[in-house]
């Protein structure tokens, strides 16, 4: 249906450019005053801008799982039940990963003959059964986790870097990152991997899927020597300038090979800018409240650009409420494939919005862990829970909303508003500073619509097995007589034999 809609004789190549912790306000086209992203600004001028585009979670791992499955993290298992409204991801201690029963985008694209490569950060599980090449990708250059470290290489080794099945080194060792100066050559390596893959698949005349998931803008931010000290925004700006340069090289290669009109490219980020790392190592969320880790707009509204010369109209802005999960469904549509029919798919096909300006009324659900925190429908957003982070963390200097205190909204205790949600009109108040009066007719109209959407969502919701719980190591590595070693973190009490201990 997707191919017929655009009159394409063959499935287009697919390039998804996923940034790490890049904020809505980091690009010139979104109003960043230094105007240091000329290639991305040109990409927007030649394509379509989505100012109302959202991640599926305010943290890296769940958002990436949502992109590749088209499903909310609460469905695909990328959440924790360790605590109410707790965010979680896949550090070295987590043994879970993307469940085997989930159908990933590269697996499905094989049905249309695509060659698939991931460059950069996987973050969907580091154990062998979760390896990207077991989940549909044909090639990988990158790491299972972010470039955290350096570690002591004894109790906790540095994080590995892979080329396909082979570990070719570790961060801070074979792949150095100078924390003092911010110098690292990783973005250049990731860029060359992308260029080589595109050239090889073009020569083979095979449609390709490139998932370019680099992490230079995730603290500790880094850039190669030619870009260090070149930005008016400091080290974070240096990283953004190098990312922009790399995107320009990828798009230029598509033009030089004369396959730009045969390639759909989409640029976005996994979650909002990490204000805890600002101002030196964090980005900008523009006019929006708070940042990464929160379900305020700054945590989940992302920069987003679609580019497909000759197909997607140039210089356009779409006000479609979009989601990172839509990239799954849209990519399948472009490949002439239908999404799996045996499960709920949350992603929307964006082709009608991109090609004909058709807007689809749909809700955006904001989850932290297994808790539905807020919902946006149209221009109204209703908060059922508010919470930034705990007072204990604040006393330690951890703040996800520095300088942005909004009384009764940016709370440091978990506040339940389910009986009387806080409702904001995001068109008039994108910063979520002025909740509507509970007694106003506008509040009541908005709440009725949102409540219906929530009821329909929750009536059919079947949560997946949580993959991001932190386990008691005694349960992981030891079992009493008659009990098998569990091997992964399960939800008590049903999943654990009665005679086997659970913390």
């Amino acid at each position: 249906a997707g191919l017929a809609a655009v009159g394409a004789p063959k499935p287009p190549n697919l390039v998804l450019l996923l940034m790490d912790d890049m904020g809505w306000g980091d690009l010139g086209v979104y109003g960043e005053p230094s105007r240091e992203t000329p290639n991305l600004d040109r990409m927007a001028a030649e394509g379509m801008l989505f100012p109302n585009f959202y991640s599926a979670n305010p943290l890296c791992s769940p958002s990436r799982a949502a992109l590749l499955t088209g499903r909310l993290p609460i469905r695909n298992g990328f959440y924790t039940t360790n605590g109410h409204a707790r965010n979680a991801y896949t550090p070295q201690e987590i043994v879970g990963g993307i469940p085997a029963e989930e159908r990933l985008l590269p697996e499905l694209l094989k049905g249309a003959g695509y060659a698939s490569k991931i460059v950069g950060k996987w973050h969907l599980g580091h154990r062998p059964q979760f390896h990207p090449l077991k989940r549909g990708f044909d090639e990988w250059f990158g790491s299972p986790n972010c470039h955290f470290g350096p570690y002591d290489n004894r109790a906790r080794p540095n994080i590995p870097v892979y080329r396909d099945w082979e570990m070719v080194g570790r961060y801070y060792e074979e792949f150095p990152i100078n924390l003092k100066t911010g110098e690292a050559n990783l973005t250049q390596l990731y860029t060359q991997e992308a260029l080589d893959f595109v050239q090889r698949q073009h020569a083979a005349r095979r449609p390709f899927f490139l998932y370019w998931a680099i992490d230079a803008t995730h603290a500790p931010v880094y850039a190669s020597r030619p870009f260090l000290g070149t930005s008016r925004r400091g080290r974070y700006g240096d990283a953004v300038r190098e990312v922009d340069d790399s995107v320009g090289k990828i798009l230029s290669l598509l033009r030089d090979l004369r396959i730009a009109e045969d390639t759909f490219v989409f640029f976005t980020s996994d979650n909002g800018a990490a204000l805890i790392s600002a101002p030196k190592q964090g980005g900008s969320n523009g006019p929006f409240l708070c940042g990464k880790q929160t379900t305020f707009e700054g945590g989940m509204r992302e920069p987003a650009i679609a580019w497909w010369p000759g197909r997607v109209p140039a210089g356009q802005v779409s006000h479609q409420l979009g989601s990172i999960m839509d990239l799954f469904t849209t990519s399948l549509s472009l490949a002439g494939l239908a999404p799996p029919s045996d499960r709920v798919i949350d992603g929307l096909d964006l082709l009608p919005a991109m090609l004909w300006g058709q807007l689809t009324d749909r809700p955006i659900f904001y989850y932290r862990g297994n808790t539905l925190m807020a919902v946006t429908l149209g221009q109204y957003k209703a908060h059922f829970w508010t919470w930034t982070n705990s007072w204990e963390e604040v006393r330690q200097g951890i703040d996800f909303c520095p300088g942005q205190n909004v009384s009764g909204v940016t709370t440091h205790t978990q506040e339940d508003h389910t009986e009387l949600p806080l409702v904001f009109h995001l068109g008039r108040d994108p910063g979520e500073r002025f909740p509507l009066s509970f007694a106003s007719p506008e509040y009541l109209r908005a709440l009725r619509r949102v409540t219906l959407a929530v009821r329909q969502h929750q009536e059919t919701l079947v949560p997946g097995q949580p993959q991001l719980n932190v386990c008691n190591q005694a349960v992981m590595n030891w079992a009493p007589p008659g009990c098998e070693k569990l091997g992964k973190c399960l939800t008590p009490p049903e999943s654990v034999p009665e005679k086997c201990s659970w913390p």
Side-chain angles (χ1 to χ4, degrees), residues 298-319:
M300 291 182 59
R301 200 187 295 209
E302 311 306 329
I305 305 170
W307 186 86
W308 192 10
R311 306 289 185 178
V312 171
Q316 300 297 304
V317 175
S318 174
H319 292 285

Side-chain angles (χ1 to χ4, degrees), residues 395-419:
R395 284 189 286 269
Q396 296 171 358
I398 299 172
D399 192 352
F400 302 143
C401 310
Q404 291 186 297
N405 178 60
V406 180
S407 180
V409 179
T410 55
T411 57
H412 292 296
T413 56
Q414 295 179 0
E415 299 295 330
D416 185 353
H417 305 281
T418 52
E419 294 299 320

Side-chain angles (χ1 to χ4, degrees), residues 286-310:
F288 303 120
L289 185 62
C290 299
K292 178 181 178 177
Q293 298 267 7
T294 79
T295 49
F296 299 109
E297 291 298 284
M300 291 182 59
R301 200 187 295 209
E302 311 306 329
I305 305 170
W307 186 86
W308 192 10

Side-chain angles (χ1 to χ4, degrees), residues 119-131:
V119 176
K121 178 172 156 183
W122 170 238
H123 228 204
L124 299 188
H126 55 79
R127 302 175 85 197
Q129 65 265 38
F130 306 125
H131 194 288

Side-chain angles (χ1 to χ4, degrees), residues 188-225:
Q188 293 301 310
L189 295 177
Y190 293 149
T191 302
Q192 194 59 50
E193 288 290 324
L195 300 177
D196 290 347
F197 178 72
V198 169
Q199 289 173 319
R200 283 190 284 108
Q201 301 313 316
H202 171 62
R205 298 187 177 183
R206 185 177 180 185
F208 60 82
F209 167 43
L210 171 63
Y211 177 43
W212 199 62
I214 65 170
D215 63 0
T217 48
H218 187 299
V221 298
Y222 60 78
S224 61
R225 185 171 299 176

